[in-house]
Amino acid sequence: MATVIPPPSKKQKKEALQVRDVNLIPEDLPNVLIKFQASDTGESIGGSIRVPGSITEKQLEELLNNLQNEDDPVPYSFSVLIDDKLTDVKDDLYHSILKPGHKTTEDFLTLVYTPRAIFKVKPITRSNTAIAGHGSTILCCSFSPNDSSRMCSGAGDSTARIWDCNTQTPFKTLQGHTNWVLCVSYSPDGKLIATGSMDNTIRIWDAKTGAPLGKPLTGHSKWVTSLTWQPIHLDESPKLASSSKDGTVKVWDPISRLCLFTMSGHTNSVSCVKWSGSNIIYSASHDRTIKSWDMSANGKCIQTLKSHGHWVNHLSLSTDYVIRKGGFDHKGGKLDSISSKELRAKALQEYEKVAKINGVINERLVSASDDFTMYLWEPLKSSKPICRMTGHQKLVNHVNFSPDGRYIVSSSFDNSIKIWDGLKGTFITTLRGHVAPVYQTSWSADNRLLVSCSKDTTLKVWDIRSKKLIVDLPGHSDEVFAVDWSLDGKRVASGGKDKMIRLWSH
Amino acid sequence: MPQNEYIEQHIKQHGRRLDYEERRRKKQAREGHRIAKDAQNLKGWRAKQFAKKRYSEKVEMKKKIKAHQESKVKTPTVENHDEALPTYLLDRQNNNTAKAISSSIKQKRLEKSQKFQVPLPKVKGISEEEMFKVIKTGKSKTKSWKRMITKHTFVGEGFTRRPVKMERIIRPAALRQKKANVTHPELGVTVFLPILGVKKNPQSPMYTQLGVLTKGTIIEVNVSELGLVTAGGKVVWGKYAQITNEPDRDGCVNAVLLV
């Protein structure tokens, strides 16, 4: 049946006739008084400065770089402090602050600046390849921290595979497990891979050759749900922590292959485990609690965070990304070219850059739960949550702090992704676009982009600045279970029920 | 009071015969002997009837036994999962029993054969007399070229009636339907969805053109609410459904989605 577009309604005609707003800046705009304030230390630079009211973001950036007398200019993003709330400056001061009436030209403006990543990640737009190889559903995938050419994925065919992403070919098959490989994790120095499986064991592999290192680590009585490595700045040879369905968290030494500690305090399946930069392990469980275990005091349980009303599904630390990155930066690096001492020093420096706020280490924890809410915690300060984040209409499956800790992104089974402020936990916006449960999200290293995978077989790339969908990436023929953005931002890998690993790039 | 209730009343008032339980037990015990005797001795039509009844009983019994055996067998929790699941979906799945698997296989076979079939393959014909009511026109009501449809219809958006002189077939406004209760057979959900058009009325191509909604009619519905996705990740919004009730009897349109 042919359809004709209906004639425009009265309202539409009226709107079309109305004068459009043109992005013009009035010529008689007076000057304004501003002050620069650093977001991390809270120091202010240069006292109060009189600038034209039409000053653009670029000009502000130039001015700030001049004031700081730095050799190579650093990009910044600015926001204005209005009643304890930050409003971002986009494009220019007039359109983002003065015109909407947040402030007048006679007010004194405090501009809070945050350094942006120097490099810029381009949004992925196409699928490079679909590599077949796995014989069953792909359950997890992870890029190596030092090099985007290596990626490891675990699947239901009881193997994990290392892929060479430069040539887009399979590199090594890690055989040994007797059941599904549920989780894969690269050590922060990039030398080892740990895989946890449905057969209750964990195996350690050499990342370079794909050779198994010794026998499997046995001890769990149910399947392994999550793996986490000790941050590299804490120890030269990082330890591995694993959580299991049997309700325990175990810490392993991957070299001596011994179980160092077993933390059993949870009464139900442990769903997620994270090792923080201050040497504390956080574990979330289906028994509705989050426990923190102090590893410098032999794994003593120091806190039990209770607030959730149902299973806790996932945890994220504000320093997750920087800990995963270890000492490597976006340029990557050969494993042998950097000594471990250098790497550790760099890792510590990077870690402190992200973790410190006003000169004090401030690691925030966010937990997602089946009760449709999330809680933001500052476990080092108190066992009471900072904020309860409500808004999702179905269970929240995954939460993720942005690499700089400024944003939290949560993906839920109600088909939406929500963005929250990483410091206060206030709601920012909802990203809608998926038409089925969203399973996971992954940040680009420069905090500007986000990729999400969903049951509706697509990946979607979102712009954080404009809070809009940039690219919709169909390609998979079935549910997408795992997605990861490489640490140098060049590639995205995804895998799911259609047994294909797909690599995406710009 | 109906007859049988007098009997019940009597039993309530006076109780049963003292040897009732005993007689019943004995009768039940002899039942096997009686059946065996009948099976051997009955002749002709009665034998045929008996054999037919006996056969259906035996089939029923065998089915029941099989169902019991199936429900007892639990698969070794993991190995027979055909699909691997990521950790975050593991505990959300229901227990996977052999029964569920076998029934899903059966379902699949059924689906394969039914690819080109619709849920209601045959419908009862509707006569023209039932479908149309003759309307007499003219000053002395002598002309009878006008008809009124007595069934529910879908007329489409922005429909205007033709001038009275031209309009041979009237579709009454009170019997027009815009939405249908559509059931997704696999998800088991029913949603109230807008109708987009009538694809085919099995009674006659003319009824298709007129948009008559009768039992078995294939309609197109707007399923954007259900959030179905194509292989390419696009949202599906138009899908066919078949009407499962007689709308003029119920006053609403119930349909089942064709998937």
Side-chain angles (χ1 to χ4, degrees):
Chain A
M1 268 175 256
T3 50
V4 185
I5 298 168
S9 66
K10 212 171 183 182
K11 197 177 162 196
Q12 283 170 324
K13 277 185 207 160
K14 227 180 191 175
E15 266 174 14
L17 278 179
Q18 249 170 12
V19 188
R20 293 252 173 75
D21 278 353
V22 187
N23 286 344
L24 280 182
I25 295 170
E27 282 177 15
D28 55 346
L29 198 67
N31 290 349
V32 287
L33 268 177
I34 60 162
K35 186 180 86 171
F36 286 115
Q37 188 182 339
S39 67
D40 47 354
T41 56
E43 287 171 11
S44 51
I45 282 184
S48 55
I49 309 165
R50 188 171 288 275
V51 295
S54 61
I55 193 165
T56 62
E57 200 185 2
K58 256 264 152 72
Q59 289 166 330
L60 281 172
E61 207 172 275
E62 216 167 294
L63 179 63
L64 185 60
N65 274 314
N66 268 335
L67 285 173
Q68 287 182 320
N69 292 326
E70 279 181 44
D71 298 336
D72 39 333
V74 182
Y76 287 103
S77 62
F78 298 91
S79 42
V80 176
L81 207 61
I82 300 166
D83 310 330
D84 290 343
K85 268 173 132 183
L86 290 175
T87 312
D88 287 347
V89 176
K90 282 178 202 155
D91 306 327
D92 59 64
L93 205 58
Y94 175 72
H95 279 113
S96 48
I97 304 296
L98 302 176
K99 200 176 171 213
H102 294 312
K103 287 270 186 182
T104 65
T105 48
E106 295 183 5
D107 288 325
F108 185 75
L109 304 177
T110 307
L111 287 177
V112 178
Y113 64 87
T114 342
R116 280 186 289 168
I118 300 165
F119 69 108
K120 195 165 180 177
V121 173
K122 286 180 184 166
I124 51 166
T125 50
R126 66 197 168 88
S127 168
N128 282 46
T129 41
I131 328 173
H134 276 301
S136 178
T137 308
I138 293 157
L139 303 177
C140 49
C141 65
S142 173
F143 272 103
S144 139
N146 61 323
D147 188 2
S148 77
S149 73
R150 288 278 185 273
M151 194 267 297
C152 189
S153 64
D157 59 356
S158 65
T159 63
R161 279 163 202 260
I162 307 178
W163 308 87
D164 186 340
C165 301
N166 286 340
T167 58
Q168 298 163 350
T169 46
F171 174 64
K172 282 281 164 3
T173 306
L174 313 181
Q175 271 169 335
H177 282 296
T178 54
N179 210 330
W180 311 344
V181 179
L182 292 171
C183 39
V184 157
S185 180
Y186 267 93
S187 71
D189 57 6
K191 285 175 189 159
L192 303 175
I193 298 173
T195 55
S197 163
M198 196 79 180
D199 63 6
N200 312 344
T201 63
I202 300 156
R203 279 170 186 266
I204 312 277
W205 316 81
D206 189 323
K208 224 172 166 187
T209 60
L213 297 178
K215 279 184 183 165
L217 310 179
T218 52
H220 283 302
S221 58
K222 287 264 179 69
W223 66 81
V224 182
T225 53
S226 145
L227 293 172
T228 180
W229 288 87
Q230 190 175 22
I232 195 167
H233 65 263
L234 293 173
D235 199 331
E236 197 150 339
S237 60
K239 311 284 183 292
L240 178 72
S242 65
S243 66
S244 163
K245 163 85 178 156
D246 64 8
T248 60
V249 176
K250 281 178 190 277
V251 179
W252 311 83
D253 184 356
I255 308 298
S256 66
R257 328 197 54 72
L258 289 175
C259 175
L260 302 177
F261 306 108
T262 302
M263 281 94 83
S264 51
H266 286 296
T267 54
N268 207 335
S269 165
V270 183
S271 50
C272 184
V273 65
K274 293 276 172 185
W275 202 318
S276 87
S278 35
N279 214 7
I280 294 171
I281 291 181
Y282 297 104
S283 61
S285 163
H286 284 180
D287 67 2
R288 310 193 304 259
T289 60
I290 301 157
K291 285 183 190 280
S292 50
W293 316 86
D294 191 355
M295 294 323 287
S296 29
N298 286 339
K300 201 174 70 178
C301 176
I302 49 172
Q303 266 175 332
T304 305
L305 309 177
K306 286 183 208 165
S307 275
H308 279 299
H310 207 324
W311 295 356
V312 187
N313 291 326
H314 197 251
L315 290 178
S316 179
L317 284 166
S318 57
T319 50
D320 257 355
Y321 201 86
V322 74
I323 287 172
R324 186 186 153 197
K325 218 159 58 161
F328 300 104
D329 55 12
H330 61 277
K331 288 174 211 130
K334 282 262 158 48
L335 287 181
D336 310 322
S337 65
I338 311 167
S339 75
S340 72
K341 210 169 187 182
E342 266 177 61
L343 208 61
R344 289 186 59 199
K346 187 96 186 298
L348 184 62
Q349 193 192 342
E350 292 269 309
Y351 166 72
E352 285 183 341
K353 215 194 261 177
V354 174
K356 277 192 176 171
I357 288 184
N358 294 338
V360 185
I361 292 240
N362 175 321
E363 270 190 324
R364 294 172 310 282
L365 181 75
V366 64
S367 56
S369 164
D370 254 23
D371 61 4
F372 311 169
T373 66
M374 289 164 292
Y375 279 98
L376 184 66
W377 313 83
E378 222 166 293
L380 293 179
K381 281 191 189 147
S382 124
S383 51
K384 287 272 174 302
I386 305 176
C387 181
R388 179 172 187 241
M389 292 132 87
T390 55
H392 278 298
Q393 281 149 17
K394 277 190 186 160
L395 65 96
V396 189
N397 188 48
H398 195 261
V399 276
N400 212 344
F401 261 103
S402 68
D404 61 359
R406 270 190 72 191
Y407 296 108
I408 298 167
V409 65
S410 61
S411 45
S412 160
F413 278 20
D414 65 0
N415 310 353
S416 72
I417 300 167
K418 283 183 195 285
I419 301 182
W420 314 79
D421 184 58
L423 289 169
K424 299 256 173 63
T426 48
F427 173 70
I428 297 178
T429 192
T430 307
L431 307 177
R432 291 189 198 281
H434 282 296
V435 293
V438 187
Y439 285 142
Q440 280 189 337
T441 54
S442 182
W443 285 88
S444 73
D446 66 349
N447 306 307
R448 290 187 186 98
L449 301 169
L450 182 76
V451 64
S452 58
C453 71
S454 156
K455 193 180 177 178
D456 67 3
T457 73
T458 63
L459 299 184
K460 290 192 198 297
V461 184
W462 309 87
D463 184 18
I464 294 307
R465 237 171 90 84
S466 63
K467 308 195 167 59
K468 287 211 175 96
L469 176 72
I470 302 184
V471 201
D472 185 3
L473 301 167
H476 279 289
S477 54
D478 213 331
E479 300 177 25
V480 191
F481 285 138
V483 67
D484 195 23
W485 204 315
S486 74
L487 280 82
D488 63 1
K490 277 185 203 155
R491 294 189 182 90
V492 167
S494 62
K497 222 170 173 179
D498 63 352
K499 305 171 193 172
M500 294 285 202
I501 282 282
R502 270 183 188 271
L503 293 172
W504 312 79
S505 73
H506 180 69
Chain B
M1 214 190 285
Q3 269 303 309
N4 59 339
E5 285 179 22
Y6 282 104
I7 296 173
E8 271 159 27
Q9 194 187 27
H10 182 267
I11 292 171
K12 271 181 195 154
Q13 280 170 353
H14 307 286
R16 295 185 187 277
R17 280 174 66 131
L18 290 175
D19 60 348
Y20 171 75
E21 298 294 330
E22 178 82 3
R23 274 158 58 93
R24 202 170 69 132
R25 182 184 63 74
K26 283 189 172 167
K27 197 174 183 187
Q28 268 176 356
R30 281 195 299 268
E31 189 69 5
H33 295 272
R34 188 188 62 78
I35 288 170
K37 197 183 129 207
D38 279 1
Q40 285 187 336
N41 296 338
L42 286 179
K43 297 277 183 312
W45 172 241
R46 296 185 66 194
K48 255 187 175 173
Q49 268 185 321
F50 175 83
K52 195 179 173 195
K53 192 168 149 244
R54 186 84 185 123
Y55 172 75
S56 66
E57 272 171 10
K58 278 195 167 172
V59 168
E60 192 68 23
M61 194 163 58
K62 275 196 177 152
K63 266 190 189 163
K64 211 179 227 172
I65 290 169
K66 209 173 173 196
H68 270 290
Q69 277 174 342
E70 259 189 356
S71 66
K72 274 178 204 157
V73 180
K74 271 234 173 80
T75 44
T77 47
V78 186
E79 278 84 353
N80 281 1
H81 261 292
D82 28 345
E83 295 291 347
L85 287 170
T87 45
Y88 50 82
L89 294 179
L90 269 176
D91 290 328
R92 303 192 186 286
Q93 230 53 15
N94 298 333
N95 253 2
N96 217 344
T97 53
K99 200 174 176 184
I101 288 174
S102 78
S103 59
S104 84
I105 291 170
K106 270 180 208 161
Q107 188 63 33
K108 257 183 201 165
R109 275 188 209 143
L110 207 72
E111 272 169 17
K112 229 179 196 175
S113 65
Q114 280 187 341
K115 204 173 178 186
F116 302 103
Q117 284 178 0
V118 287
L120 297 173
K122 254 188 195 171
V123 285
K124 217 173 97 188
I126 298 174
S127 67
E128 206 137 286
E129 286 78 68
E130 196 192 331
M131 184 67 89
F132 293 121
K133 189 183 157 197
V134 179
I135 292 191
K136 298 227 166 110
T137 50
K139 197 177 176 187
S140 50
K141 301 287 172 211
T142 46
K143 295 169 183 160
S144 53
W145 53 269
K146 223 179 221 287
R147 300 283 181 274
M148 183 163 74
I149 298 179
T150 58
K151 305 284 173 194
H152 283 237
T153 49
F154 173 75
V155 296
E157 198 122 353
F159 168 75
T160 19
R161 289 176 61 177
R162 304 187 67 192
V164 184
K165 272 189 186 172
M166 312 287 198
E167 192 181 35
R168 203 178 89 81
I169 296 169
I170 303 169
R171 290 178 276 178
L175 296 181
R176 291 183 198 157
Q177 293 285 353
K178 283 183 191 155
K179 292 181 128 189
N181 297 306
V182 181
T183 308
H184 192 293
E186 278 163 26
L187 302 178
V189 288
T190 304
V191 198
F192 198 41
L193 298 175
I195 304 175
L196 294 172
V198 175
K199 171 76 178 157
K200 182 163 180 139
N201 188 314
Q203 307 285 350
S204 141
M206 186 177 74
Y207 298 161
T208 310
Q209 222 172 18
L210 288 168
V212 179
L213 305 175
T214 56
K215 191 172 182 175
T217 306
I218 310 287
I219 53 173
E220 191 173 16
V221 288
N222 184 353
V223 290
S224 54
E225 243 176 80
L226 290 178
L228 303 174
V229 194
T230 62
K234 295 251 161 52
V235 179
V236 182
W237 64 282
K239 234 174 181 330
Y240 292 132
Q242 188 175 35
I243 296 177
T244 53
N245 70 333
E246 289 279 24
D248 56 328
R249 283 189 201 163
D250 301 345
C252 63
V253 182
N254 300 339
V256 61
L257 212 59
L258 307 180
V259 283

